[in-house]
Amino acid sequence: NAGVTQTPKFRVLKTGQSMTLLCAQDMNHEYMYWYRQDPGMGLRLIHYSVGEGTTAKGEVPDGYNVSRLKKQNFLLGLESAAPSQTSVYFCASMRTLGETQYFGPGTRLLVL
Amino acid sequence: SQQGEEDPQALSIQEGENATMNCSYKTSINNLQWYRQNSGRGLVHLILIRSNEREKHSGRLRVTLDTSKKSSSLLITASRAADTASYFCATHSGYSTLTFGKGTMLLVSP
């Protein structure tokens, strides 16, 4: 099993450009999450999903959209990138409520 | 907002020494989890302790939970250079999400 994978690993964007980050898991997990990690800020939850077709806002959702059309995939979109969105983005999945989360390797995004 | 807060923010020890990190939280929890993050990598789950448990062991890891003080500690015994990483606590309070602290950076020197 590959676990949780993220695409791409690294990306440079110009302000105003759009992009989609893809997260895929092969563990048949119900719950999926998108976090961003900035120096000194720990992990902050952007959006999450409790099952196929569902999405919900986390702590810092502004400027991002998500979709979970298939159970194994969770997409994070930036419609108009801003320098403040420069960060490392992590996806995670969880089988059921209260269990451990499995993290992907991260996507480094630089917005110029 | 952050639920768990780790202490200290950074810890530097020699190989063979023990490392202790603490986590405090604010609201009642169902469980508390510890994760490790090597530089530039995703987080890896270490151990989960439920609210009705007081202590748990896994290899060289020992976790304690004091719900009356809303605090937990992670002890790594006989540290190795490979233990160098950031360590995060995360709390589950019955909702669909975990709340992570800001982490403790551990440096283990040979």
Side-chain angles (χ1 to χ4, degrees), chain B residues 37-74:
Chain B
Q37 183 181 34
N38 291 93
S39 182
R41 304 282 186 92
L43 277 70
V44 174
H45 177 257
L46 294 176
I47 197 165
L48 180 154
I49 186 165
R50 302 191 188 283
S51 60
N52 60 353
E53 297 175 310
R54 291 297 168 259
E55 187 171 313
K56 206 163 184 179
H57 296 254
S58 177
R60 293 184 295 113
L61 305 180
R62 172 178 170 252
V63 170
T64 61
L65 178 64
D66 187 336
T67 53
S68 67
K69 295 181 179 179
K70 293 187 169 58
S71 67
S72 173
S73 68
L74 171 67

Side-chain angles (χ1 to χ4, degrees), chain A residues 34-68:
Chain A
W34 275 109
Y35 297 92
R36 61 177 289 173
Q37 185 177 36
D38 303 292
M41 298 294 291
L43 283 173
R44 292 185 292 172
L45 182 64
I46 304 172
H47 285 281
Y48 64 100
S49 169
V50 301
E52 181 178 312
T54 75
T55 62
K57 294 181 180 180
E59 181 186 355
V60 289
D62 294 342
Y64 305 95
N65 57 75
V66 288
S67 64
R68 184 125 181 247

Side-chain angles (χ1 to χ4, degrees), chain A residues 2-21:
Chain A
V4 180
T5 58
Q6 293 183 232
T7 309
K9 289 184 171 54
F10 179 70
R11 184 78 183 268
V12 179
L13 288 180
K14 294 181 179 178
T15 297
Q17 287 185 320
S18 62
M19 77 163 294
T20 300
L21 284 67

